[in-house]
Amino acid sequence: MAALTIAAGTGNWFSALALGVTLLKCLLIPTYYSTDFEVHRNWLAITHSLPISQWYYEATSEWTLDYPPFFAWFEYILSHVAKYFDQEMLNVHNLNYSSSRTLLFQRFSVIFTDILFVYAVHECCKCIGGKKVGKELTEKPKFILSVLLLWNFGLLIVDHIHFQYNGFLFGLMLLSIARLFQKRHMEGAFLFAVLLHFKHIYLYVAPAYGVYLLRSYCFTANKSDGSIRWNSFSFVRVISLGLVVFLVSALSLGPFLALNQLPQVFSRLFPFKRGLCHAYWAPNFWALYNALDKVLSVIGLKLKFLDPNKIPKASMTSGLVQQFQHTVLPSVTPLATLICTLIAILPSIFCLWFKPQGPRGFLRCLILCALSSFMFGWHVHEKAILLAILPMSLLSVGKAGDASVFLILTTTGHYSLFPLLFTAPELPIKILLMLLFTIYSISSLKTLFRKEKPLFNWMETFYLLGLGPLEVCCEFVFPLTSWKLKYPFIPLLLTSVYCAVGITYAWFKLYVSVLIDPPVVKTKKQ
């Protein structure tokens, strides 16, 4: 705190926060890393040593290139720095290669590219005023928001322990959001179009961008009641937006179109042959659906309604598998998940169009699109919850109701990431980092909204406190029982289902607030 006081006096508190978290990231360099480390090393090798015509065909490793072309070019650029660290990491046939120099390069590449994330957070802080409470630096909304984003627990463990480049990508998204708040719509559209060609998971929130830009940029005026003034439609602005999207897409996909490889690229980007759920069920609606199917199966066997010889073994023994076969409930297809996702996001899209609330309404719609896609999407990864948590941080410093949703979503969503770090040395690290972040989040937001009603009711408090006993049970008690060998999937099942309840509740609570909030009536567009 003394360092922050000094930094506040010189006006450099943001730099102090950014430097502090960078030092923490450096301390995490020797920790465990997942198979994603080898995934990205392999992509470095593919893009460096093979011609572009082979990038999306190369299959020496099982970790084939399955990100859009801009990310492939990103890996290509990194590879030309990587060769000065260890040339051997760029050999496609060096599977699972991991020298000390390779480790240092890959870890530092994530830390270095986080510069964009730091800049994006700085820009977001300019846009979010929030409540003005207290004279202390640590009570100011911009300071709290900076900590919630820069020191986000989920981003720290996913990028700097597990290993990915989410900070760089979320930097693009947050910068795009900031530009829309600043009414720099073309820049925001350009940044988001670029982001889509780095990682296509951001398609989840594309409907929010499309509707908001059409409503707030292409229509230049409202009536006094907030409805659209239809004669204010600007064809020039629509064409300008379309041209931006077209040029970015042409730059990304053009080379593969020329090579007649677009079908191959899209087959890598959208592998619907994978199962409904990831190996560890993401804590969403389908986790609850799968769990209910298991419970009904057990009851059916006990009551002899089901023939044990006709139950797929994978559904009752191995537990959390990708190709989950339902026993009692109907099996789910990719089309069914698409329909459910569309139905889930439609109300938020309608609210964005018919109940305009400016950039804040856009941000709420974006979060609901992200959460709805997480809740009902096909083969969703648990890490995708960050797509809702990070933008929700921006809302949390503005209204007490949003702060409450943020704390429930963040605490539950972050805990659901614990199974990513399953090695013993990382156990105290993840527990300590999450406790510090959670305690800070709750205490700072309670201070910010201390003059309003409590952020949690008794039921929400009871649920969040339940994460403690759940962790003790999964990490310390269960390994000592005889069930460990017979039912090894139980800790993951409990974690997934328990967290799914909290995330579903946060999604529902945010949706209700969006539906009941009145529109912001202005004659000029946001």
Side-chain angles (χ1 to χ4, degrees), residues 128-149:
I128 306 298
K131 289 177 64 65
K132 303 295 186 292
V133 176
K135 297 180 180 179
E136 293 292 329
L137 169 67
T138 53
E139 295 182 6
K140 294 184 181 299
K142 290 184 179 181
F143 180 87
I144 296 172
L145 177 61
S146 297
V147 177
L148 295 181
L149 288 172

Side-chain angles (χ1 to χ4, degrees), residues 454-495:
L455 296 181
F456 303 127
N457 59 36
W458 70 267
M459 181 185 66
E460 294 163 349
T461 302
F462 182 79
Y463 170 81
L464 292 176
L465 289 175
L467 291 171
L470 177 63
E471 175 65 5
V472 171
C473 176
C474 292
E475 293 284 1
F476 302 104
V477 177
F478 183 79
L480 302 177
T481 68
S482 59
W483 284 11
K484 180 181 179 181
L485 296 177
K486 190 175 182 181
Y487 304 108
F489 60 87
I490 284 183
L492 292 179
L493 178 65
L494 291 176
T495 300

Side-chain angles (χ1 to χ4, degrees), residues 59-348:
T60 301
S61 167
E62 63 178 306
W63 311 117
T64 54
L65 181 58
D66 59 5
Y67 273 24
F70 278 179
F71 200 93
W73 287 110
F74 171 72
E75 295 278 9
Y76 173 80
I77 293 170
L78 288 179
S79 73
H80 284 277
V81 181
K83 66 184 179 183
Y84 294 108
F85 283 75
D86 187 347
Q87 186 72 32
E88 288 302 307
M89 79 171 85
L90 302 176
N91 186 337
V92 173
H93 300 285
N94 272 355
L95 302 182
N96 299 310
Y97 184 79
S98 178
S99 66
S100 58
R101 291 188 177 186
T102 301
L103 174 65
L104 284 175
F105 169 75
Q106 299 222 134
R107 288 295 199 192
F108 277 120
S109 68
V110 178
I111 295 172
F112 178 77
T113 54
D114 274 357
I115 291 174
L116 178 61
F117 181 74
V118 173
Y119 173 68
V121 172
H122 186 264
E123 290 298 298
C124 285
C125 288
K126 294 179 181 178
C127 307
I128 306 298
K131 289 177 64 65
K132 303 295 186 292
V133 176
K135 297 180 180 179
E136 293 292 329
L137 169 67
T138 53
E139 295 182 6
K140 294 184 181 299
K142 290 184 179 181
F143 180 87
I144 296 172
L145 177 61
S146 297
V147 177
L148 295 181
L149 288 172
L150 292 177
W151 291 76
N152 181 271
F153 165 76
L155 201 55
L156 279 173
I157 68 166
V158 170
D159 276 13
H160 301 281
I161 301 181
H162 181 81
F163 192 84
Q164 281 190 349
Y165 289 91
N166 291 291
F168 168 72
L169 298 171
F170 279 119
L172 280 172
M173 187 181 80
L174 291 179
L175 190 57
S176 171
I177 291 171
R179 293 298 180 248
L180 293 184
F181 268 78
Q182 295 161 358
K183 300 183 181 180
R184 295 156 68 173
H185 298 90
M186 290 295 289
E187 288 181 49
F190 169 76
L191 289 167
F192 183 68
V194 170
L195 177 61
L196 287 180
H197 288 276
F198 267 99
K199 191 171 183 179
H200 50 304
I201 192 175
Y202 294 94
L203 280 170
Y204 287 170
V205 299
Y209 273 88
V211 171
Y212 179 71
L213 287 169
L214 181 62
R215 181 72 168 79
S216 298
Y217 181 67
C218 297
F219 287 94
T220 58
N222 285 335
K223 295 179 181 179
S224 58
D225 61 355
S227 60
I228 290 178
R229 199 180 291 276
W230 291 96
N231 60 2
S232 70
F233 182 74
S234 172
F235 284 100
V236 174
R237 292 189 174 189
V238 170
I239 293 171
S240 299
L241 284 175
L243 191 60
V244 165
V245 174
F246 173 77
L247 290 177
V248 171
S249 300
L251 184 62
S252 171
L253 300 174
F256 301 96
L257 178 63
L259 292 168
N260 197 29
Q261 291 185 0
L262 278 187
Q264 174 63 19
V265 173
F266 288 134
S267 71
R268 286 283 184 87
L269 299 184
F270 303 100
F272 286 111
K273 292 182 180 179
R274 295 177 182 176
L276 171 65
C277 295
H278 192 241
Y280 157 55
W281 298 346
N284 59 12
F285 175 80
W286 302 121
L288 300 175
Y289 187 85
N290 291 346
L292 178 60
D293 185 79
K294 278 185 174 290
V295 170
L296 293 177
S297 297
V298 171
I299 294 174
L301 287 172
K302 293 289 185 181
L303 299 178
K304 297 183 179 181
F305 291 149
L306 298 175
D307 183 354
N309 297 321
K310 294 182 180 180
I311 295 179
K313 291 184 178 180
S315 70
M316 293 307 297
T317 55
S318 60
L320 306 188
V321 294
Q322 295 189 29
Q323 294 292 347
F324 185 86
Q325 300 181 54
H326 295 97
T327 303
V328 179
L329 299 176
S331 292
V332 181
T333 64
L335 179 60
T337 63
L338 175 62
I339 293 172
C340 289
T341 303
L342 291 176
I343 292 173
I345 70 172
L346 276 177
S348 64

Side-chain angles (χ1 to χ4, degrees), residues 12-27:
N12 291 325
W13 59 267
F14 186 86
S15 299
L17 286 175
L19 179 60
V21 76
T22 301
L23 293 175
L24 174 59
K25 293 170 185 177
C26 292
L27 292 175

